[in-house]
Amino acid sequence: MPELAAHVRDVPVNQIREITEAAWRTPGALVLSIGEPGFPLPRHVLDAGIACLDRDETNYTPNAGVPALREAFAARFRERAGVSHNNGIGAERVYVVAGAQQGLHLAMSLLLSPGDEILIPNPGYPTFAMTSRLLNAVPVGYPLYPDQDFQPRTEDIEALITDRTRVLVLNSPSNPLGAVLAEELTRELVELARRHDLWVISDECYEAFTYDVPHVSPARFDGELPGEARVFTSLTLSKTYGLTGLRIGALVCPPGLEQKMNNVMESIVSCVASPSQYAAIAALTGPQDYVRHAHEHYRANRDAASAVLDSKGIPYLKADGAFYLWADVSHVSGGDVRAWVRRFLADSGVALAPGTAFGSIGEGWVRIALCGKREELLEGLSRLPERV
């Protein structure tokens, strides 16, 4: 058999999936390793998808998506990101994609040539590195240190920029950290990208879930000068509305890329399934009770889980957003947290995501998903060894 391409052979195992699939094979395991919202979908969202099938509206849609959905995404983005038509955030800049991951792949496909470097957070979501490697690009991790509350420093990022650097990836609220970028820091990072003529890909999957702090989109500071727009924003309905299996999201692009985007969409996915698109329209334009309920549930779970960790003396990063807790288990992980989570699953029946799934600085840490049932979350955390 011929060999696979080298860049595919070099893509590492996703350690989140590794431990989660092991947990799914373990009877009675408590799975706190994956971010899967646990509420039933709103009836009006399901009905919209079913109605699309009932009327046999199952043909191709435009590459960029159903016009009504593009406008619904644009309207939400203008509201949530604090941007307006004045800086060009209209439906023509929104491209409907098969989930945020496809949006990230699409953006990187547009921006990276073989050998180009892309700056990604360490710790950061694993597919930032995986996707760039699939495109023969070079991921370069910029450090997020515990003593800095895992916030990026512009000087650390600037020190990594070379003549091969093309893209800066930002993620706020952060998966895995729950950290949220403040307004002034976000402005500084966009200015850094402008100074070095870099593109910015902003992953905003968890924009609906921040707690006592605002969500600040880098797009707010983009395009302040003519021809300076450089921010791509990746959005999804997977987390906001629990539509993980419908694979629906959006990529908001700088102006002037309409034809190029259509060409690339055609070559990768053609278009997203029409029932998912009509369900998404219903989610974005209909009652928002699901989002409010999810926000309250995640916040209450965060507070309850934090109390358990406090009682055990286990340090953690206060989560200002998303639905994860980032906890320090170095007192038991022995310098190999990937191996420790496997032992913890075998011994205690609880699956946690190892910090090394997200980068080298994650050694000794775990990510705890807060989105499931509270009783299962608290029972799982009760089995953690205390820190003496």
Side-chain angles (χ1 to χ4, degrees), residues 17 19 50 59 130 161 171 174 218 258 265 296 344 361:
R17 280 285 178 176
I19 191 65
I50 293 168
N59 297 325
M130 296 169 71
I161 295 174
N171 177 209
S174 165
E258 290 80 5
M265 284 288 290
E296 293 170 3
F344 187 59
I361 297 177

Side-chain angles (χ1 to χ4, degrees), residues 106-145:
L106 183 59
M108 291 186 193
S109 298
L110 287 164
L111 307 180
L112 294 169
S113 297
D116 284 348
E117 294 175 353
I118 176 171
L119 296 166
I120 63 173
N122 175 13
Y125 194 62
T127 63
F128 297 154
M130 296 169 71
T131 305
S132 53
R133 287 195 178 104
L134 278 174
L135 295 167
N136 284 297
V138 181
V140 177
Y142 60 83
L144 307 177
Y145 293 121

Side-chain angles (χ1 to χ4, degrees), residues 304-316 381-382 384-387:
S306 298
V308 174
L309 296 182
D310 285 336
S311 72
K312 290 178 171 290
I314 297 175
Y316 58 92
L381 297 184
S382 74
L384 282 169
E386 291 186 4
R387 191 183 192 104

Side-chain angles (χ1 to χ4, degrees), residues 261-272:
M261 285 293 300
N262 284 337
N263 293 347
V264 177
M265 284 288 290
E266 178 66 26
S267 67
I268 293 177
V269 71
S270 294
C271 61
V272 175

Side-chain angles (χ1 to χ4, degrees), residues 235-272:
L235 305 171
T236 183
L237 302 191
S238 292
K239 310 303 182 184
T240 310
Y241 297 95
L243 305 184
T244 53
L246 293 189
R247 309 311 305 137
I248 193 82
L251 185 67
V252 183
C253 302
L257 299 178
E258 290 80 5
Q259 189 57 55
K260 292 294 185 186
M261 285 293 300
N262 284 337
N263 293 347
V264 177
M265 284 288 290
E266 178 66 26
S267 67
I268 293 177
V269 71
S270 294
C271 61
V272 175

